[in-house]
Amino acid sequence: MMNRLNLMLVAGARPNFMKIAPLVRAIEQHNTNRRNGDPQIDYKLVHTGQHYDPRMSTIFFQELGMPAPHINLGVGSGSHAVQTATVMTRFEPMLESARPDWLVVVGDVNSTLACTLVAAKLGVRVAHVEAGLRSFDRSMPEEINRLATDALADLLLTPSEDADRNLAAEGVDGARIRRVGNIMIDSLNAQLQSIDTLELIARRDLVPGEYIYVTLHRPANVDQPDTLQLVMGRLTELARKWTIIFPVHPRTRSRLADCEPVQSVPSGLRVVEPVGYRESLAFVRHARCVLTDSGGLQEESTFFRTPCLTLRPNTERPVTLTCGSNRLTTPEDLEHDLADVLARPARFGEIPPLWDGHTAGRTLQAILEASGFGSKHVTEDRLLQHSSRPEEAQLLSPSAV
Ligand code: UD1
């Protein structure tokens, strides 16, 4: 076996960047610290170009200290079919000529699925980071992306126990699953070492605990004018008492243009351009409450124990509800739920297991082991968890491996 491993990493849209950055860092650390026998890991970073505005992409590369992508497919926006097909068409020759040992994809965006499909058909092994999450709501494009990506990926790197259970319920062989933890928290932890979040909010004239941080971009919330109008009405009311900071995603911005203008917008409602990763973390950390439909913000709120209301009927991240500070709401219940949250303690909830900043290292280790490098690190707990039959667990007990 060659003592080298070739990886191709894919990032396409805003929520991918903070999941890829820790992997790049872990690869570089591995190469620096490697001892005799450890393989050199070579990687190529592909940006599909699904997100391309400087505020949706470049700023994240800068703040996360990521190298410029080796390849940018420059795909841009389009319908789901157009975007997915364009990524596939442009990615196929790149993958064909690079022929890495593994394609590593993260999250659940169209780029994740498109590159996975190409790799599966070219016979390149796929590792999916953040596998197994399910909202059980197929009206969400991300749910389709998750189901199809997990069906095809060879190595399913999961963040939580619920994800493992979802995969087991779909009949996935436990040998394909490795629970590695929440990789977003690696980026969050790394940033907290170097930024002054109080200073970042002060620059926006925000006072800790005295503002509400809002982000909305899901088609279900912003593509229906009635729903968006209703939510904007609620925010306008709320802004008579609270400062609301609302960085607006480009999709939402274009839909807002179609809404009836709100009469006399209170000065408390501050609709601003999309913000970078650092400012967003600072906003979450010091907010009185977060109101969002983003997956990432549900997790970041849980990490900071900041109350979070998620404007969705479901979440693929149930640990933020059971363990963390998150709660689901609807446009109709928003007023009541907000009042309820604001009457509760300013911080609550627990940080879930494996949100410890070491997920990228475990991810790399899992990929190395699946490639035949390093020791087989199989714990009794993992074996039991993936085997419903005790005799199977017995057969695979660590002493037998
Ligand atoms: C995508 C992901 C979603 C993720 C979100 C984070 C899919 C199916 N959805 O949704 O899971 O939560 O990213 O932002 O992959 N646009 C710009 N500039 C950009 C990018 C987009 O103006 O840099 C505008 C375009 O008008 C585009 C629209 O935003 O049509 C939507 O972009 P798209 O990538 O299709 O989906 P998102 O809503 O961003």
Side-chain angles (χ1 to χ4, degrees):
M1 180 166 42
M2 287 270 290
N3 211 20
R4 279 191 116 78
L5 188 69
N6 270 299
L7 305 181
M8 185 171 264
L9 315 178
V10 174
R14 187 169 62 175
N16 289 165
F17 306 136
M18 55 292 268
K19 296 169 194 164
I20 286 290
L23 285 177
V24 170
R25 208 169 31 249
I27 292 170
E28 284 166 0
Q29 271 167 10
H30 168 92
N31 287 338
T32 307
N33 300 330
R34 83 194 173 97
R35 299 194 213 105
N36 282 349
D38 290 342
Q40 162 80 22
I41 303 181
D42 298 321
Y43 75 94
K44 281 217 165 12
L45 176 59
V46 178
H47 190 331
T48 64
Q50 176 173 346
H51 283 175
Y52 43 86
D53 280 351
R55 284 197 175 90
M56 300 291 287
S57 175
T58 324
I59 186 169
F60 288 84
F61 274 75
Q62 288 163 350
E63 292 185 345
L64 290 159
M66 285 166 81
H70 299 92
I71 300 165
N72 193 326
L73 303 177
V75 164
S77 302
S79 70
H80 287 280
V82 167
Q83 194 171 57
T84 308
T86 313
V87 173
M88 289 181 72
T89 315
R90 296 192 186 173
F91 184 56
E92 187 178 47
M94 305 290 166
L95 192 66
E96 181 112 60
S97 77
R99 285 259 158 213
D101 297 306
W102 289 90
L103 177 75
V104 183
V105 295
V106 297
D108 54 17
V109 302
N110 286 344
S111 303
T112 310
L113 172 62
C115 294
T116 299
L117 272 167
V118 172
K121 293 199 172 180
L122 287 180
V124 172
R125 285 180 294 179
V126 178
H128 182 207
V129 179
E130 210 181 74
L133 295 185
R134 297 289 182 266
S135 66
F136 303 100
D137 175 359
R138 291 194 184 193
S139 70
M140 286 182 76
E142 293 81 2
E143 184 73 354
I144 309 292
N145 294 342
R146 290 180 204 117
L147 283 161
T149 301
D150 287 344
L152 295 173
D154 301 86
L155 184 57
L156 298 165
L157 299 153
T158 61
S160 47
E161 200 182 340
D162 56 276
D164 293 22
R165 277 200 306 268
N166 293 337
L167 293 169
E170 288 168 18
V172 174
D173 179 354
R176 283 167 61 205
I177 307 171
R178 285 290 295 266
R179 194 190 308 163
V180 290
N182 187 339
I183 201 153
M184 288 236 316
I185 305 303
D186 290 26
S187 275
L188 190 158
N189 258 320
Q191 288 295 320
L192 289 186
Q193 320 286 322
S194 58
I195 59 173
D196 180 345
T197 51
L198 281 172
E199 200 242 337
L200 283 170
I201 67 160
R203 278 196 219 160
R204 292 270 189 176
D205 291 327
L206 294 170
V207 178
E210 294 189 10
Y211 65 91
I212 296 170
Y213 177 27
V214 177
T215 78
L216 297 170
H217 73 280
R218 297 269 165 216
N221 284 327
V222 306
D223 286 3
Q224 302 300 324
D226 289 354
T227 309
L228 187 56
Q229 195 91 44
L230 179 60
V231 173
M232 287 312 289
R234 292 271 185 272
L235 294 183
T236 307
E237 279 307 307
L238 195 64
R240 302 197 195 286
K241 287 199 219 136
W242 288 88
T243 299
I244 296 181
I245 183 96
F246 182 10
V248 177
H249 185 286
R251 172 191 281 279
T252 313
R253 166 87 56 198
S254 68
R255 301 300 188 270
L256 278 175
D258 301 334
C259 281
E260 275 173 40
V262 179
Q263 300 297 319
S264 71
V265 178
S267 59
L269 181 55
R270 291 165 49 184
V271 176
V272 299
E273 292 296 317
V275 296
Y277 182 54
R278 292 178 171 176
E279 261 201 307
S280 184
L281 284 184
F283 290 173
V284 178
R285 185 178 203 177
H286 301 294
R288 179 63 185 84
C289 173
V290 171
L291 171 64
T292 191
D293 56 13
S294 144
L297 255 67
Q298 293 173 54
E299 295 184 330
E300 287 157 1
S301 306
T302 284
F303 182 85
F304 289 121
R305 303 174 64 248
T306 303
C308 178
L309 282 177
T310 296
L311 197 60
R312 281 178 46 190
N314 48 55
T315 178
E316 61 289 338
R317 293 163 162 87
V319 74
T320 62
L321 300 174
T322 52
C323 197
S325 55
N326 190 23
R327 175 174 171 178
L328 303 179
T329 190
T330 63
E332 293 75 20
D333 293 338
L334 185 53
E335 198 175 349
H336 166 270
D337 288 345
L338 258 169
D340 211 43
V341 160
L342 296 174
R344 294 188 63 181
R347 294 290 175 267
F348 64 89
E350 303 289 327
I351 298 178
L354 297 179
W355 290 32
D356 58 1
H358 299 296
T359 294
R362 288 188 289 266
T363 299
L364 209 53
Q365 185 61 29
I367 294 174
L368 284 165
E369 289 176 12
S371 314
F373 293 108
S375 62
K376 276 247 177 304
H377 176 75
V378 185
T379 65
E380 194 119 21
D381 172 48
R382 257 189 60 73
L383 292 171
L384 289 170
Q385 167 200 320
H386 295 306
S387 171
S388 50
R389 303 209 325 261
E391 67 275 19
E392 245 175 54
Q394 194 59 42
L395 269 176
L396 291 168
S397 77
S399 54
V401 176

